[in-house]
């Protein structure tokens, strides 16, 4: 049986706030960071995106390094004893994703370390699965902590879809939201970090994880119909590990980026597993305020749940956090207070 781990602090850098409190307050208030960008769509219109208002116009890996470092430093500020004792897991875009903003993972790690001015406790790890990277990172984090390799694990995710190659590709695939394409996503960028420990003064604990794959992915070559098998199985694994049924969930947070495919996948998983009497289960998504933030999604959603629990506005407990990528990788994590089990 996997040992539960606690979320002890968080950090965020987003289009609606340069720290976690302001970001979470803005998302709770349904504010967004959407604005016209310098990118042009196929019809000559300006593409709407959600850029982070950084104090300097850094670009490329330097920009991502500052985004990630800002989130990591904020998480360390709340638990200063973790500096120098935390292993780092960095969540990034898939290596084969068109317009991937990172060309050299090792160089990005070096840049982040220089800005944060702290060496990781163990060799840093890269998880490059895009949006569900954070689920893989949570699994690695609890193994690192359970083995005694590190007392803390910092999971940081950083990503951007606001690059010319990325926007050009997804516009050509008719996947970006434009006036003539309502079935698309808004490209965004963000960084988020969560600090994990085996025990701590935390209002949020990880109880279950599910990692699976959906054969009928959004790009599946066999043109298979979507039945939601991948996400359904991810839900089942996370719920099974926690020892509860889905009707006991308080609410869910999902990386619903705006395209119909992802809403259908989430709905199918719920329909196939939700049985018996249950209370209303709300569904939150950071994309409503931030657009598609890729590999930053899971740390961002965990941070949303952590803040909601601490501030007393969570829509129940436990919370199920889900994410999936274009290749079909699906992840689900069940987190709650210490009275969940």
């Amino acid at each position: 049986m996997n040992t539960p781990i606690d979320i002890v602090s968080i950090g965020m850098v987003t289009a609606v706030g340069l720290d976690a409190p302001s970001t979470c307050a803005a998302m709770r208030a349904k504010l967004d960071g959407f604005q016209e960008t310098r990118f042009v769509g196929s019809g000559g219109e300006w593409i709407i995106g959600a850029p982070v208002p950084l104090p300097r116009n850094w670009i490329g890996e330097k920009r991502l390094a500052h985004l990630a470092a800002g989130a990591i430093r904020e998480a360390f500020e709340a638990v200063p004893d973790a500096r120098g004792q935390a292993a780092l897991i960095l969540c990034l875009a898939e290596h084969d994703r068109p317009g991937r903003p990172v060309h050299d993972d090792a160089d990005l790690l070096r840049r982040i370390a220089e800005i944060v001015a702290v060496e990781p406790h163990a060799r840093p790890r890269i998880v490059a699965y895009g949006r569900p990277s954070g689920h893989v990172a949570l699994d690695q984090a609890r193994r690192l902590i359970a083995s005694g390799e590190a007392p803390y694990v910092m999971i940081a995710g950083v990503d951007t879809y606001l690059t010319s190659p990325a926007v050009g590709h997804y516009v050509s695939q008719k996947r970006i939201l434009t006036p003539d394409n309502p079935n698309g996503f808004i490209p965004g960028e963000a960084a988020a970090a969560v600090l994990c420990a085996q025990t701590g003064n935390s209002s949020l604990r990880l109880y279950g994880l599910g990692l699976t794959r959906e054969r009928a992915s959004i790009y599946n070559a066999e043109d298979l119909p979507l039945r939601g098998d991948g996400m359904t199985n991810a839900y089942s694994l996370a719920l099974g590990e926690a020892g509860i049924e889905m009707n006991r969930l308080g609410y869910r947070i999902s990386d619903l980026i705006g395209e119909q495919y992802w809403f259908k996948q989430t709905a199918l998983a719920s329909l196939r597993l939700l049985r018996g009497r249950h209370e209303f289960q709300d569904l939150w998504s950071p994309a409503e305020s931030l657009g598609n933030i890729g590999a930053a999604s899971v740390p961002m959603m965990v941070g949303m749940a952590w803040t909601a629990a601490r501030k007393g506005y969570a829509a129940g407990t436990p919370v199920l956090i889900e994410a999936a990528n274009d290749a079909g990788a699906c992840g689900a994590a069940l987190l709650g207070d210490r009275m969940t089990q």
Side-chain angles (χ1 to χ4, degrees):
M1 173 138 179
N2 288 297
T3 303
I5 59 172
D6 284 354
I7 309 301
V8 295
S9 68
I10 64 169
M12 297 178 182
V13 179
T14 72
V16 294
L18 298 181
D19 58 27
S22 57
T23 292
C24 290
M27 289 193 289
R28 186 186 182 193
K30 303 298 183 184
L31 303 179
D32 65 62
F34 305 149
Q35 59 182 274
E36 290 183 346
T37 68
R38 59 188 177 87
F39 304 109
V40 179
S42 57
E45 74 284 353
W46 297 111
I47 295 293
I48 300 298
V52 176
L54 291 177
R56 297 183 186 176
N57 190 28
W58 292 301
I59 60 173
E61 290 180 7
K62 186 174 184 179
R63 182 178 183 84
L64 291 184
H66 279 276
L67 289 172
I72 292 170
R73 289 172 82 168
E74 183 184 0
F76 273 139
E77 285 172 4
V79 189
D81 290 347
R83 292 181 71 91
Q85 297 191 64
L88 173 64
I89 303 176
L90 186 62
C91 302
L92 298 175
E94 305 92 325
H95 285 111
D96 60 351
R97 196 181 84 193
R100 186 179 195 261
V102 180
H103 301 291
D104 187 330
D105 295 350
D107 185 58
L108 179 62
L109 280 170
R110 179 188 59 77
R111 288 173 181 263
I112 293 171
E114 288 178 355
I115 299 168
V116 177
V118 60
E119 288 295 324
H121 179 76
R123 180 178 61 83
R125 301 183 179 202
I126 297 289
V127 179
Y129 291 98
R131 291 195 300 277
S133 294
H135 288 105
V136 178
L138 284 168
D139 188 42
Q140 293 185 4
R142 64 184 182 178
R143 294 174 190 275
L144 283 168
I145 291 171
S147 69
E149 188 171 339
Y152 296 94
V153 176
M154 180 71 75
I155 298 174
V158 63
D159 207 346
T160 181
Y161 279 82
L162 293 169
T163 67
S164 293
V167 171
H169 171 79
Y170 290 107
V171 165
S172 70
Q173 295 291 310
K174 301 189 184 304
R175 291 195 56 195
I176 285 186
L177 184 69
T178 61
D180 59 353
N181 180 34
N183 185 26
F185 66 81
I186 293 175
E189 62 181 2
V194 294
L195 184 63
C196 308
Q198 186 162 336
T199 58
N201 183 20
S202 173
S203 51
L204 202 65
R205 175 170 284 192
L206 174 68
Y207 284 105
L209 269 175
L211 299 167
T212 60
R213 183 165 293 278
E214 172 62 58
R215 287 185 61 204
S217 66
I218 197 168
Y219 285 137
N220 84 88
E222 301 170 80
D223 200 25
L224 298 170
L226 177 63
R227 295 172 4 107
D229 292 336
M231 192 58 75
T232 300
N233 291 336
Y235 275 28
S236 295
L237 289 169
L239 292 166
E241 188 177 313
I244 67 169
E245 299 293 330
M246 189 168 172
N247 60 5
R248 284 188 55 197
L249 284 185
Y251 69 113
R252 289 179 290 162
I253 309 180
S254 176
D255 64 331
L256 299 172
I257 59 173
E259 295 168 294
Q260 295 174 7
Y261 175 94
W262 312 107
F263 286 96
K264 184 177 180 182
Q265 177 174 256
T266 294
L268 286 168
S270 177
L271 287 169
R272 293 176 63 180
L273 292 176
L274 194 54
R275 298 287 183 270
R277 184 183 179 279
H278 61 88
E279 301 298 326
F280 171 71
Q281 295 179 358
D282 206 355
L283 181 62
W284 298 0
S285 176
E288 294 177 9
S289 295
L290 309 177
N292 186 358
I293 56 171
S297 294
V298 174
M300 185 69 62
M301 293 188 287
V302 172
M304 290 171 67
W306 186 85
T307 301
R310 286 176 67 90
K311 296 289 187 179
Y313 64 86
T317 187
V319 57
L320 189 118
I321 291 173
E322 66 165 79
N325 68 14
D326 292 354
C330 298
L334 191 127
L335 302 99
D337 59 37
R338 298 178 185 219
M339 301 303 293
T340 296
Q341 291 188 313

